[in-house]
Amino acid sequence: MRIGQIIGSVVCSNKADALYGVPLLLLQPLDEAYQETGIPLVACDTVQAGTGDMVLYEGGREAALALENWFNPSDATIVGIIDKAEGL
Amino acid sequence: MILARVLGPVVSTVKIRSLEGHKLLLVRPVRPDGSFTAKPVVAVDTVQAGKGDTVLVLDEGGSAGIILGLTGQPVRTVITGIVDSIENKENDNDKRG
């Protein structure tokens, strides 16, 4: 799992079937100093994260397994909202 | 598995079911000599590691599922051991053989 921050949301009315009903959020990956690193991703949400929340997100095959319907094209899924972390 | 250092705990009360009951630690990959090599990741702790420990971290879903007894769950990064010492032949001066 990696750490990121929610900076917005993305609305797609036309998308893969498996993504219907799945909120898409704009996620900025963070580095060890909790600063922006890399480009923002679009991640599927499973924990009702809001803009500004620091979150845990999973990549790879596990991102798809985090959703109800396992056969989905997600490669980044938010799996937790961070309350506290070292240096945060 | 990779070598990493534990930076500290991560508290997350709102999270997916398969992470509930697991301790989460912020770890950062290190080289054998202890220098950091990559960005931190958050791992599920199974060996009661603490801040400052050098640990073994597994970053692959299949094996993580086996260790945690959760098959098909979105958990991939698991701490599987606490390292006591590392013997690195590469930078030993007395190269034998």
Side-chain angles (χ1 to χ4, degrees):
Chain A
M1 285 170 283
R2 287 180 171 59
I3 291 181
Q5 184 164 34
I6 304 299
I7 56 174
S9 60
V10 173
V11 177
C12 290
S13 47
N14 196 351
K15 55 192 172 182
D17 291 344
L19 290 181
Y20 279 99
V22 176
L24 300 176
L25 298 180
L26 204 53
L27 172 79
Q28 171 59 59
L30 300 178
D31 62 15
E32 60 281 2
Y34 302 103
Q35 300 303 314
E36 294 181 11
T37 176
I39 56 166
L41 311 171
V42 178
C44 298
D45 181 30
T46 64
V47 287
Q48 294 76 44
T51 302
D53 281 348
M54 304 291 258
V55 294
L56 296 172
Y57 69 97
E58 192 56 272
R61 173 75 187 123
E62 283 65 37
L65 294 175
L67 299 180
E68 291 307 318
N69 169 2
W70 283 6
F71 297 102
N72 63 73
S74 171
D75 63 353
T77 301
I78 297 152
V79 293
I81 298 174
I82 296 175
D83 304 321
K84 222 163 34 110
E86 192 61 28
L88 187 57
Chain B
M1 291 183 287
I2 58 168
L3 289 169
R5 181 159 316 124
V6 177
L7 301 181
V10 172
V11 177
S12 169
T13 41
V14 177
K15 56 195 173 198
I16 53 169
R17 228 169 315 108
S18 50
L19 280 179
E20 266 150 25
H22 287 298
K23 187 174 142 199
L24 302 178
L25 290 176
L26 188 69
V27 298
R28 193 173 176 192
V30 291
R31 289 187 192 81
D33 65 10
S35 52
F36 289 127
T37 62
K39 288 194 279 289
V41 291
V42 178
V44 172
D45 178 29
T46 64
V47 290
Q48 290 73 43
K51 184 173 174 180
D53 286 345
T54 298
V55 290
L56 298 182
V57 177
L58 176 73
D59 199 20
E60 190 273 324
S63 320
I66 291 165
I67 288 180
L68 297 175
L70 309 155
T71 50
Q73 291 300 314
V75 181
R76 191 176 76 183
T77 318
V78 176
I79 295 174
T80 53
I82 300 176
V83 174
D84 298 322
S85 67
I86 300 169
E87 191 181 306
N88 186 355
K89 282 287 180 255
E90 233 176 37
N91 52 24
D92 274 4
N93 307 339
D94 53 343
K95 291 261 184 305
R96 275 182 284 278

